[in-house]
Amino acid sequence: MCGAELKNLPEGVQRVAAELQRLGHPHLPQMLDDAARTAQQAADALGILVGQVAKSIIFRRKSDDAAVLVVTSGDRRVDEKKVEAHVGGKIGRADAEFVKSRTGFSIGGVSPVAHATPPVTLIDQDLLRFDVVWAAAGHPHGVFPLHPSDLQRLTGAPVVDVVQAPVADTPAPQVAA
Protein backbone atom coordinates (compact mmCIF):
# COMPACT_ATOMS: atom_id res chain seq x y z
CA MET A 1 0.00 0.00 0.00
CA CYS A 2 1.52 3.30 -1.05
CA GLY A 3 1.24 6.68 0.63
CA ALA A 4 -1.54 7.86 -1.69
CA GLU A 5 -3.61 4.76 -0.95
CA LEU A 6 -3.10 5.23 2.79
CA LYS A 7 -4.39 8.82 2.62
CA ASN A 8 -7.71 7.51 1.26
CA LEU A 9 -8.23 5.30 4.31
CA PRO A 10 -10.08 6.38 7.49
CA GLU A 11 -7.87 8.19 10.02
CA GLY A 12 -7.83 5.29 12.50
CA VAL A 13 -6.68 2.86 9.81
CA GLN A 14 -3.96 5.29 8.74
CA ARG A 15 -2.73 5.45 12.35
CA VAL A 16 -2.68 1.65 12.64
CA ALA A 17 -0.90 1.29 9.27
CA ALA A 18 1.75 3.81 10.32
CA GLU A 19 2.30 2.00 13.64
CA LEU A 20 2.52 -1.41 11.95
CA GLN A 21 5.08 -0.03 9.51
CA ARG A 22 7.06 1.58 12.35
CA LEU A 23 7.12 -1.73 14.21
CA GLY A 24 8.19 -3.67 11.12
CA HIS A 25 5.01 -5.71 10.75
CA PRO A 26 4.87 -7.15 7.22
CA HIS A 27 1.09 -6.82 6.71
CA LEU A 28 -0.79 -3.57 6.35
CA PRO A 29 -4.52 -3.17 7.02
CA GLN A 30 -7.08 -4.35 4.52
CA MET A 31 -10.54 -2.88 4.11
CA LEU A 32 -13.54 -5.22 4.08
CA ASP A 33 -16.60 -4.51 1.99
CA ASP A 34 -18.87 -4.85 5.00
CA ALA A 35 -18.41 -3.77 8.59
CA ALA A 36 -17.04 -6.37 10.99
CA ARG A 37 -18.12 -4.97 14.35
CA THR A 38 -18.36 -8.44 15.89
CA ALA A 39 -16.03 -11.43 15.79
CA GLN A 40 -18.65 -13.44 13.89
CA GLN A 41 -19.04 -10.71 11.24
CA ALA A 42 -15.26 -10.54 10.81
CA ALA A 43 -14.96 -14.34 10.55
CA ASP A 44 -17.73 -14.47 7.97
CA ALA A 45 -16.20 -11.67 5.89
CA LEU A 46 -12.73 -13.25 5.99
CA GLY A 47 -13.80 -16.87 5.60
CA ILE A 48 -12.04 -17.94 8.82
CA LEU A 49 -12.97 -19.54 12.12
CA VAL A 50 -14.43 -17.12 14.66
CA GLY A 51 -11.60 -18.09 17.05
CA GLN A 52 -9.10 -16.63 14.55
CA VAL A 53 -10.51 -13.16 15.16
CA ALA A 54 -8.33 -11.36 17.71
CA LYS A 55 -11.03 -9.29 19.37
CA SER A 56 -10.03 -6.24 21.39
CA ILE A 57 -12.13 -5.57 24.47
CA ILE A 58 -11.65 -2.43 26.53
CA PHE A 59 -12.39 -2.35 30.26
CA ARG A 60 -12.04 0.52 32.74
CA ARG A 61 -9.83 -0.07 35.80
CA LYS A 62 -11.79 1.46 38.65
CA SER A 63 -8.87 2.51 40.87
CA ASP A 64 -7.31 4.92 38.37
CA ASP A 65 -9.71 5.05 35.40
CA ALA A 66 -7.07 3.42 33.15
CA ALA A 67 -8.10 1.64 29.98
CA VAL A 68 -7.46 -2.11 30.07
CA LEU A 69 -7.25 -3.84 26.69
CA VAL A 70 -7.82 -7.59 26.52
CA VAL A 71 -7.07 -9.22 23.17
CA THR A 72 -8.67 -12.65 22.93
CA SER A 73 -10.05 -15.17 20.47
CA GLY A 74 -13.44 -14.37 19.01
CA ASP A 75 -14.83 -17.65 20.32
CA ARG A 76 -13.89 -16.99 23.95
CA ARG A 77 -15.47 -14.94 26.75
CA VAL A 78 -13.30 -12.84 29.04
CA ASP A 79 -13.22 -13.82 32.71
CA GLU A 80 -13.21 -10.45 34.45
CA LYS A 81 -11.90 -11.93 37.73
CA LYS A 82 -8.83 -13.27 35.91
CA VAL A 83 -8.27 -9.87 34.28
CA GLU A 84 -8.55 -8.16 37.68
CA ALA A 85 -5.91 -10.50 39.10
CA HIS A 86 -3.51 -9.49 36.30
CA VAL A 87 -4.14 -5.74 36.40
CA GLY A 88 -4.23 -5.31 40.17
CA GLY A 89 -7.73 -4.07 40.76
CA LYS A 90 -11.39 -4.08 39.95
CA ILE A 91 -12.46 -3.44 36.37
CA GLY A 92 -15.75 -2.38 34.87
CA ARG A 93 -17.31 -2.12 31.46
CA ALA A 94 -16.18 0.78 29.32
CA ASP A 95 -18.80 2.75 27.45
CA ALA A 96 -18.42 3.99 23.88
CA GLU A 97 -17.28 7.47 24.96
CA PHE A 98 -14.56 6.05 27.25
CA VAL A 99 -13.35 3.67 24.51
CA LYS A 100 -13.19 6.43 21.90
CA SER A 101 -11.46 8.94 24.21
CA ARG A 102 -8.82 6.49 25.45
CA THR A 103 -8.11 4.51 22.29
CA GLY A 104 -9.03 6.91 19.51
CA PHE A 105 -11.12 4.10 17.99
CA SER A 106 -14.83 3.35 18.02
CA ILE A 107 -16.15 0.09 19.43
CA GLY A 108 -16.03 -2.48 16.65
CA GLY A 109 -12.76 -1.14 15.26
CA VAL A 110 -10.43 -1.12 18.28
CA SER A 111 -6.98 -2.18 17.16
CA PRO A 112 -4.46 -3.80 19.49
CA VAL A 113 -1.95 -1.06 18.47
CA ALA A 114 -1.83 2.72 17.89
CA HIS A 115 -4.00 3.79 20.83
CA ALA A 116 -4.39 7.47 21.66
CA THR A 117 -3.38 6.66 25.26
CA PRO A 118 -1.46 3.41 25.80
CA PRO A 119 -3.69 0.97 27.72
CA VAL A 120 -2.79 -1.76 30.17
CA THR A 121 -2.82 -4.71 27.74
CA LEU A 122 -3.27 -8.45 28.18
CA ILE A 123 -3.19 -11.06 25.41
CA ASP A 124 -5.07 -14.28 25.97
CA GLN A 125 -3.06 -17.46 25.53
CA ASP A 126 -5.90 -19.17 23.63
CA LEU A 127 -4.98 -17.10 20.55
CA LEU A 128 -1.84 -19.24 20.28
CA ARG A 129 -4.02 -22.12 19.00
CA PHE A 130 -3.84 -20.53 15.54
CA ASP A 131 -1.11 -19.86 13.00
CA VAL A 132 -2.83 -16.69 11.77
CA VAL A 133 -5.32 -14.38 13.45
CA TRP A 134 -6.96 -11.18 12.24
CA ALA A 135 -7.24 -8.02 14.33
CA ALA A 136 -9.22 -4.82 13.90
CA ALA A 137 -7.29 -2.00 12.27
CA GLY A 138 -8.88 1.13 13.69
CA HIS A 139 -12.21 1.00 11.83
CA PRO A 140 -15.12 -1.50 11.60
CA HIS A 141 -14.10 -2.27 7.99
CA GLY A 142 -10.34 -2.45 8.67
CA VAL A 143 -8.45 -5.64 9.59
CA PHE A 144 -4.90 -6.98 9.44
CA PRO A 145 -3.41 -10.49 9.72
CA LEU A 146 -0.67 -11.57 12.09
CA HIS A 147 0.73 -14.54 13.94
CA PRO A 148 -0.57 -14.54 17.52
CA SER A 149 2.97 -14.24 18.90
CA ASP A 150 3.29 -10.98 16.93
CA LEU A 151 0.72 -9.46 19.28
CA GLN A 152 3.21 -9.69 22.12
CA ARG A 153 5.96 -8.14 20.02
CA LEU A 154 3.71 -5.34 18.73
CA THR A 155 2.16 -4.47 22.10
CA GLY A 156 4.76 -5.56 24.67
CA ALA A 157 1.91 -7.20 26.59
CA PRO A 158 2.07 -10.48 28.47
CA VAL A 159 0.34 -13.61 27.17
CA VAL A 160 -1.85 -14.90 30.01
CA ASP A 161 -5.03 -16.85 30.76
CA VAL A 162 -7.91 -14.36 30.91
CA VAL A 163 -10.87 -16.29 29.53
CA GLN A 164 -13.61 -18.47 30.88
CA ALA A 165 -13.13 -22.18 30.33
CA PRO A 166 -14.68 -23.21 27.01
CA VAL A 167 -17.93 -25.08 27.36
CA ALA A 168 -17.21 -28.72 26.63
CA ASP A 169 -19.52 -30.65 24.37
CA THR A 170 -21.91 -32.60 26.55
CA PRO A 171 -22.65 -36.17 25.54
CA ALA A 172 -26.15 -37.07 24.44
CA PRO A 173 -28.22 -38.55 27.26
CA GLN A 174 -28.46 -42.33 27.28
CA VAL A 175 -31.95 -43.70 26.84
CA ALA A 176 -32.73 -46.84 28.77
CA ALA A 177 -34.16 -49.65 26.63
Side-chain angles (χ1 to χ4, degrees), residues 166-172:
V167 178
D169 292 331
T170 54

Side-chain angles (χ1 to χ4, degrees), residues 33-58:
D33 291 335
D34 295 317
R37 287 184 170 84
T38 68
Q40 188 63 60
Q41 289 172 337
D44 291 346
L46 292 163
I48 60 173
L49 298 171
V50 71
Q52 288 179 272
V53 175
K55 65 181 178 182
S56 294
I57 302 169
I58 298 289

